[in-house]
Amino acid sequence: LAKTTQPISMDSYEGQEVNITCSHNNIATNDYITWYQQFPSQGPRFIIQGYKTKVTNEVASLFIPADRKSSTLSLPRVSLSDTAVYYCLVGVNSGYSTLTFGKGTMLLVSP
Amino acid sequence: GAVVSQHPSRVICKSGTSVKIECRSLDFQATTMFWYRQFPKQSLMLMATSNEGSKATYEQGVEKDKFLINHASLTLSTLTVTSAHPEDSSFYICSASNAGGQTNTEAFFGQGTRLTVV
């Protein structure tokens, strides 16, 4: 399984754009990159998933360079409610196997 | 999106008793469900893979006789913590995917169960 490395924590202010980068140097050809958000005492919530280039949805963008050895989750104009732990996962979730969680990035958004 | 429901959300039990946690996929059938444990300020650790109609597959270091998993139907998996002790106090989370034969799908997580053993 591809190992991921993320910053342990990040600080931001309301209204700013936050970019969290994840390194996954040994990503396999079939692996996808998935980001989850977790609030205290809640289960993780899916944010975005991509394979290459750029993916955008209503809450975030995911930038993946051509070599796919890293990815960047971009949260536009964060609010206080975006304070959470963000996990970058790499692999294939087939329904029969699951993804491995790394340590995650604790994002603290201040007023 | 698909919903995975976990019950109870919070439970306190006495040391030596057993506790059952339910995980249900509400709008899809899940051949496989996964159980995680999360200690404070730590990441999710996979405990076991629950397979409908067969025995669960446990991760190394997880006692199968202590953490009993039953996956009796395509929409329900249960985790029973037997003879619970204070060190079993943790946040337990289940997840499931509606794979439908796809090679990569989104995993949906339950709300989690906060177990406190006193």
Side-chain angles (χ1 to χ4, degrees):
Chain A
L1 296 175
K3 182 179 178 181
T4 59
T5 303
Q6 305 173 230
I8 294 175
S9 64
M10 292 184 68
D11 295 323
S12 183
Y13 293 96
E14 281 189 293
Q16 289 188 336
E17 177 184 79
V18 171
N19 296 307
I20 306 174
T21 297
C22 178
S23 297
H24 29 81
N25 291 318
N26 59 338
I27 186 170
T29 303
N30 295 332
D31 287 344
Y32 283 76
I33 301 161
T34 311
W35 286 79
Y36 282 87
Q37 175 192 56
Q38 186 183 28
F39 297 112
S41 296
Q42 293 188 27
R45 184 173 72 100
F46 174 88
I47 301 175
I48 198 166
Q49 182 181 77
Y51 184 80
K52 61 180 179 180
T53 63
K54 176 184 176 181
V55 179
T56 297
N57 61 23
E58 62 274 11
V59 297
S61 294
L62 179 60
F63 298 92
I64 306 170
D67 65 5
R68 303 200 328 123
K69 294 183 181 299
S70 67
S71 59
T72 299
L73 173 71
S74 181
L75 304 173
R77 297 180 298 282
V78 295
S79 63
L80 297 177
S81 62
D82 292 318
T83 293
V85 178
Y86 293 82
Y87 294 98
C88 163
L89 286 74
V90 173
V92 177
N93 188 53
S94 68
Y96 305 103
S97 62
T98 190
L99 302 175
T100 300
F101 281 80
K103 297 184 184 301
T105 297
M106 174 64 215
L107 172 65
L108 176 61
V109 181
S110 300
Chain B
V3 178
V4 173
S5 178
Q6 203 171 326
H7 178 82
S9 58
R10 187 181 297 268
V11 59
I12 301 173
C13 72
K14 291 184 178 181
S15 185
T17 62
S18 296
V19 173
K20 180 184 286 187
I21 303 170
E22 293 187 348
C23 180
R24 294 180 183 274
S25 56
L26 298 185
D27 53 0
F28 66 97
Q29 295 183 329
T31 305
T32 306
M33 291 185 177
F34 307 95
W35 288 95
Y36 296 83
R37 179 168 53 183
Q38 185 176 33
F39 291 107
K41 299 189 183 303
Q42 294 188 23
S43 185
L44 283 75
M45 296 296 296
L46 181 66
M47 298 175 65
T49 301
S50 170
N51 304 298
E52 187 268 337
S54 65
K55 293 182 178 180
T57 303
Y58 290 82
E59 296 298 302
Q60 189 173 11
V62 178
E63 300 176 57
K64 63 179 181 180
D65 294 331
K66 181 170 184 60
F67 299 99
L68 301 179
I69 291 174
N70 183 278
H71 196 152
S73 75
L74 287 171
T75 59
L76 173 64
S77 175
T78 61
L79 168 67
T80 301
V81 182
T82 63
S83 187
H85 288 95
E87 57 265 30
D88 298 323
S89 298
S90 187
F91 192 55
Y92 293 86
I93 309 169
C94 69
S95 77
S97 296
N98 51 341
Q102 299 176 54
T103 57
N104 187 70
T105 63
E106 175 184 339
F108 301 97
F109 289 82
Q111 309 96 310
T113 297
R114 173 73 61 192
L115 170 63
T116 303
V117 185
V118 298

